[in-house]
């Protein structure tokens, strides 16, 4: 039955307008758009500027990873750079 006594704010669950997963997805989309615009602007300057910005972004992302995931991510980045070097060294 309906309880006539209203619960206090700390006893009632929060009423969220958006689900947290939706907020996270929107935040990641904004971040991707931001980096896309920055890389496009750097590409207009030179390819070296775009590459520098890309590597700075990669380093920042890898530094934010937990310790147990960071080493594997660095190894993957090293393999990717080696593959690009081998492909274009011909």
């Amino acid at each position: 039955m309906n309880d006539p006594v209203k619960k206090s704010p700390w006893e009632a669950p929060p009423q969220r307008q958006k689900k947290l997963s939706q907020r996270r997805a929107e935040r990641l989309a904004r971040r991707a758009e931001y980096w896309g615009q920055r890389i496009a602007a750097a590409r207009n300057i030179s390819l070296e500027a775009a590459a520098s910005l890309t590597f700075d972004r990669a380093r920042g992302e890898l530094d934010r990873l937990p310790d147990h995931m960071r080493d594997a991510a660095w190894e993957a980045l090293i393999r990717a750079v080696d593959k690009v070097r081998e492909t274009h060294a011909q």
Side-chain angles (χ1 to χ4, degrees):
M1 298 195 195
N2 291 347
D3 189 10
V5 178
K6 186 175 180 178
K7 290 185 177 182
S8 57
W10 55 86
E11 294 175 331
Q15 298 297 321
R16 293 191 170 95
Q17 295 175 353
K18 294 182 183 179
K19 291 184 178 180
L20 293 179
S21 59
Q22 182 182 0
R23 284 186 184 190
R24 183 172 189 264
E26 290 172 354
R27 181 177 53 85
L28 291 175
R30 282 192 306 272
R31 207 158 126 204
E33 181 182 2
Y34 166 79
W35 280 107
Q37 290 171 352
R38 285 198 62 190
I39 291 173
R43 191 173 284 137
N44 289 336
I45 296 170
S46 71
L47 291 177
E48 289 82 11
S52 176
L53 182 64
T54 300
F55 284 114
D56 288 346
R57 179 183 178 203
R59 171 171 228 134
E61 293 293 331
L62 294 178
D63 286 345
R64 278 190 221 104
L65 288 174
D67 290 337
H68 67 280
M69 297 172 70
R70 190 175 301 145
D71 290 338
W74 277 111
E75 288 297 324
L77 181 62
I78 290 168
R79 283 192 306 272
V81 170
D82 286 343
K83 186 170 182 167
V84 168
R85 184 179 43 85
E86 290 169 4
T87 302
H88 297 283
Q90 299 174 3

